Amino acid sequence: MTASTLSVAIVTGGNSGIGLETVKLLATDHQVYAIGRNPQTLQALEKVANVIPVALDITDYAAVAAFTASLARVDVLVHSAAISVLSTTYSATPELWQQHLSINVIAPAELTRLALPALRASQGKVVFINSGSGTLALAGHVVYSASKFALTALAHALRTEESEHGVRVATIAPGPTDTPMNQASRQRAGNHAPINPREYLEASSVARAVRFIVDSLEDTQIADIVIRPRRDKARR
Ligand SMILES: NC(=O)c1ccc[n+]([C@@H]2O[C@H](COP(=O)([O-])OP(=O)(O)OC[C@H]3O[C@@H](n4cnc5c(N)ncnc54)[C@H](OP(=O)(O)O)[C@@H]3O)[C@@H](O)[C@H]2O)c1
């Protein structure tokens, strides 16, 4: 298939971690717009067949609107971009709250809103990469968890709203996954010990769940997928 006849996917956070692995899996048979900010990691994607790296801050709504307006079609929209800074209610500042809610909730809501006409036209799919923190808030994760709880609400409401328009909406809630986000959290917490791989998912394993949703048959609405490492320290 030539690039112009391929289905089109947008992946936010497409230059790192789970989003990057998702981009690679979808690019086998989609034209994939991989959104991120880091110029180095975006540049590395220029060599990958069927991938178009897009330098975009997803909280720049005018730029996001210009980007979506430039697309002739959208079949799949994967929201993987997020930030996560550990904080208690006592330590969290209004700026930290605003940053998390802007990037983790409002930006995916706005990108979805702008892409909905194209997604309705293609009878497409929206996939939210959420977290175990989207349904269970742990001490010291309050701001991130609150943003992910809000994302849970967004996905549930959107699925109901869009069912009559033929757009399917899924959430994936991974447990701890070995990515730059998780590595940075462990460093900030002073944990420099090597990880036990059985206590962490590979980013590519989460990407396979996205692929499963994208490949789901016409009669199927996959709503929620929860993925845990084989040995999940927090929940066993
Ligand atoms: N890792 C885990 O343990 C874990 C567990 C459960 C759920 N999750 C969820 O999985 C998803 C992916 O996380 P990850 O672990 O793969 O993290 P990651 O490697 O740190 O990737 C985060 C991505 O978000 C992008 N991003 C952040 N702010 C942005 C902004 N304002 N505009 C555009 N892009 C922005 C980053 O782009 P730049 O690098 O260019 O800034 C990066 O590509 C997130 O939704 C996260 O909450 C992760």
Side-chain angles (χ1 to χ4, degrees):
M1 259 188 289
T2 63
S4 59
T5 60
L6 294 175
S7 294
V8 172
I10 302 172
V11 182
T12 71
N15 57 336
S16 182
I18 293 167
L20 174 60
E21 294 304 320
T22 299
V23 165
K24 291 186 208 161
L25 269 190
L26 294 184
T28 55
D29 57 0
H30 290 70
Q31 182 172 334
V32 185
Y33 292 89
I35 297 178
R37 296 173 299 184
N38 181 317
Q40 279 85 40
T41 48
L42 284 170
Q43 196 182 17
L45 281 167
E46 283 171 8
K47 300 185 193 78
V48 184
N50 296 332
V51 176
I52 301 175
V54 182
L56 196 60
D57 183 328
I58 55 171
T59 64
D60 179 347
Y61 305 127
V64 173
F67 165 68
T68 51
S70 73
L71 303 178
R73 63 182 284 184
V74 181
D75 299 273
V76 177
L77 172 57
V78 181
H79 297 284
S80 189
I83 57 164
S84 168
V85 177
L86 296 185
S87 52
T88 61
T89 309
Y90 189 61
S91 67
T93 60
E95 291 72 27
L96 195 74
W97 278 103
Q98 271 158 3
Q99 213 182 8
H100 277 72
L101 293 173
S102 292
I103 295 172
N104 296 2
V105 186
I106 301 172
E110 177 61 0
L111 173 55
T112 303
R113 185 181 76 80
L114 291 164
L116 268 181
L119 285 161
R120 287 175 180 172
S122 69
Q123 302 286 280
K125 297 182 178 115
V126 182
V127 182
F128 292 95
I129 308 298
N130 201 305
S131 167
S133 298
T135 48
L136 177 67
L138 301 176
H141 288 73
V142 61
V143 176
Y144 176 70
S145 272
S147 73
K148 290 297 193 179
F149 267 67
L151 199 65
T152 301
L154 170 60
H156 283 201
L158 182 70
R159 181 179 311 117
T160 315
E161 291 164 2
E162 288 304 312
S163 65
E164 67 179 288
H165 300 291
V167 178
R168 288 177 277 174
V169 179
T171 286
I172 298 175
T177 309
D178 188 20
T179 67
M181 173 186 283
N182 194 283
Q183 288 149 16
S185 290
R186 282 185 280 111
Q187 297 276 326
R188 278 195 297 263
N191 179 359
H192 304 289
I195 61 161
N196 177 349
R198 295 198 69 191
E199 293 174 353
Y200 288 84
L201 292 160
E202 297 280 347
S204 56
S205 302
V206 182
R208 286 179 66 168
V210 180
R211 185 75 230 199
F212 179 70
I213 290 164
V214 169
D215 291 341
S216 61
L217 299 179
E218 280 303 309
D219 66 344
T220 310
Q221 160 68 81
I222 297 172
D224 295 284
I225 295 181
V226 176
I227 315 174
R228 300 272 165 231
R230 288 284 291 273
R231 290 184 60 210
D232 190 343
K233 267 203 306 196
R235 291 173 173 80
R236 65 170 176 255

